[in-house]
Structures are given as C-alpha cells and as structure tokens.
Amino acid sequence: MSMSSSRYLHILIVLIFFSIIPFKSEGQFHDWCIADEQTPDDELVQALKWACENGANCTKIQENQPCYLPNTVRGHASYAFNSYYQNMKQKGASCYFNSAAILTAKDPSHDACKFEVIP
C-alpha cells in the first residue's frame, strides 16, 4: 500500500468513526441547581430566603401550588435555588448559595412540580 493510499484509508476510517458516534444537539445537556444533602436546614432557610428575594420565582413553593409538597426546607430550597440559577445564569450567577447547593444532571422534577431548565 502506498503512502498516499494509507493516508486516504486513515482519513476514511476517521470519517466513518465520527459518522457513527451520535452527536448531541445543542440544548440536550442540562443542569439543575439543588440543595446539597449535607447542608443543615438552618443554612438552607437563609439561602432559600436570599434566593427568593434576589431573582428566584418562589410562587410555586407556596401552599396549594405544584411544588409545595413535599413541604420540606430541602425541597423548597432546591426549587428556589434552581429557579434563581436558571433565571440568572446568563448574567453570571452560579449554583453556590454559600456552599448550600450543588449542580446535578438529573432532573429533580416530580409529579406536577416541574423544575425549569433554560439552556
């Protein structure tokens, strides 16, 4: 096999390899911001209050709303943290909340409670 043929064969193999790998289109990789399981409730309460006052939409965690249940500090904080993060990440916000939150690739939505995701 000549050097030229070998080079073309190599290119062909690379092209075939990349043609069989499924590429994900833009918007398929999402992340949600949720309360860290290790954060004490008193710290979550402070961070939850801050998030609701600074850009999170906390209406869905009010009583009789779709994300009120489970009625736990951790559940409400997760919803508020994610709302803040999704609404503000284009402006440079992070999922930090004084170490009370973490990013996850698993959608935390449950039942009628849908956690927003903005690409």
Side-chain angles (χ1 to χ4, degrees), residues 18-45:
F18 282 112
S19 70
I20 62 173
I21 294 176
F23 286 101
K24 301 212 179 229
S25 64
E26 185 178 342
Q28 285 189 313
F29 295 103
H30 299 300
D31 55 2
W32 292 266
C33 181
I34 60 170
D36 188 331
E37 292 288 329
Q38 299 177 3
T39 304
D41 280 359
D42 61 324
E43 291 178 32
L44 289 176
V45 168

Side-chain angles (χ1 to χ4, degrees), residues 29-97:
F29 295 103
H30 299 300
D31 55 2
W32 292 266
C33 181
I34 60 170
D36 188 331
E37 292 288 329
Q38 299 177 3
T39 304
D41 280 359
D42 61 324
E43 291 178 32
L44 289 176
V45 168
Q46 291 176 10
L48 166 64
K49 184 175 188 267
W50 186 91
C52 290
E53 292 173 351
N54 287 281
N57 179 352
C58 295
T59 58
K60 289 187 180 180
I61 56 175
Q62 302 302 312
E63 196 168 356
N64 297 319
Q65 294 300 310
C67 297
Y68 178 72
L69 297 175
N71 182 14
T72 63
V73 171
R74 190 163 319 285
H76 290 180
S78 288
Y79 187 85
F81 293 170
N82 186 67
S83 176
Y84 174 86
Y85 174 68
Q86 299 297 333
N87 291 331
M88 306 300 280
K89 67 183 177 183
Q90 298 297 335
K91 297 176 183 174
S94 67
C95 175
Y96 182 65
F97 299 96

Side-chain angles (χ1 to χ4, degrees), residues 99-116:
S99 295
I102 58 169
L103 286 174
T104 181
K106 184 179 177 204
D107 185 352
S109 299
H110 53 89
D111 305 314
C113 179
K114 303 303 177 208
F115 279 57
E116 183 177 30

